[in-house]
Amino acid sequence: MTGTPDRGGPAPYISARTGQFRYFDQQLGRPDWPAKRVLDFGGNVGNLLLDQACTIRHGEYWCLDVIPQAVEEGRRRYPDATFLHYDRYNFEYNPSGTKQLPVPDLGRFDVIVAQSVFNHTSKAEMRELVGQLRSFLTDDGVLAFTFIDPYFKPPPGWARAEEWPDLDNLRWRLASARWFQEPGMDVDALAAKATSAPLTWATLVNNEDFFLDSGDDWCREGEERTHYMVFCTEGHMRSIYPDATVLPPVPPDRFSCAVLRRRA
């Protein structure tokens, strides 16, 4: 449960991504950040604070992440903020963690954000974690999290050049995996399998097999897994959370966004 890692960083899974603050600032309509208590769920080293335009007060910023090295680095970079290790099991990021460990109650938050978290969980785990996070919102608080719509294709001039801007999210992620991890993978065959049926929720496991709308059936014990990526259409996310506001990506990011309020 962490933001997309930069595996070439100084320590395992230390993120080098930037732009998180700008993204959520746009998607949430530019809230009064200095007045907000903020939880960055899966915030890695706290890159939400890295943007020079970020106005979140460090003393009101909390970060939970399953990667202990990221938490330690975040504490070093931002000593006035609060970084806590969430020792929950994740076979890719925290294989020694505790399965189904509840999110710790850290009080109430005005804003909870999660970028590139639920494209690394099953649907059942997303439902569980989102339900817990909503319970930690203030009465007028807001939870915003990203997800990857497989069909989104950025308009000309939008995406970063290194992201194959002429490809939709599904083919871009497959092409990236082939380029950086699996030079022998058959992108066309995988894409054909993924689109052989109406694609609403799909999980790409080990860059070699798609499980389509299968819930958690692919999470079988004893099978070797190294990584996985989840895709969910905007329409399907609306069906999962009918009370959510589902927003399309904002340039230059390819992530869609679901925005939820505290349940009555």
Side-chain angles (χ1 to χ4, degrees), residues 182-254:
E182 306 288 347
M185 72 184 295
D186 190 335
V187 169
D188 290 335
L190 282 169
K193 179 176 181 179
T195 56
S196 63
L199 183 66
T200 55
W201 182 282
T203 306
L204 174 65
V205 180
N206 290 358
N207 290 329
E208 62 185 13
D209 205 0
F210 264 113
F211 293 81
L212 306 178
D213 297 304
S214 59
D216 294 341
D217 294 346
W218 61 272
C219 302
R220 291 184 288 270
E221 292 293 335
E223 293 189 0
E224 183 178 355
R225 304 182 305 272
T226 58
H227 50 270
Y228 63 106
M229 178 69 64
V230 169
F231 301 87
C232 179
T233 63
E234 291 184 2
H236 190 56
M237 189 61 73
R238 290 188 183 96
S239 74
I240 298 172
Y241 297 109
D243 59 336
T245 300
V246 176
L247 301 169
V250 293
D253 292 286
R254 290 174 175 255

Side-chain angles (χ1 to χ4, degrees), residues 10-46:
Y13 308 122
I14 297 300
S15 174
R17 284 187 63 88
T18 60
Q20 289 94 322
F21 176 79
R22 177 205 52 77
Y23 176 88
F24 285 115
D25 189 46
Q26 288 183 264
Q27 296 288 35
L28 295 176
R30 293 181 169 81
D32 181 12
W33 291 102
K36 306 298 184 183
R37 189 170 189 255
V38 178
L39 172 61
D40 193 359
F41 185 69
N44 203 266
V45 295

Side-chain angles (χ1 to χ4, degrees), residues 125-145:
E125 190 172 19
M126 179 187 73
R127 287 177 180 270
E128 176 196 350
L129 292 170
V130 167
Q132 292 182 50
L133 291 172
R134 290 181 80 172
S135 71
F136 300 139
L137 291 171
T138 58
D139 289 342
D140 58 351
V142 62
L143 163 65
F145 64 87

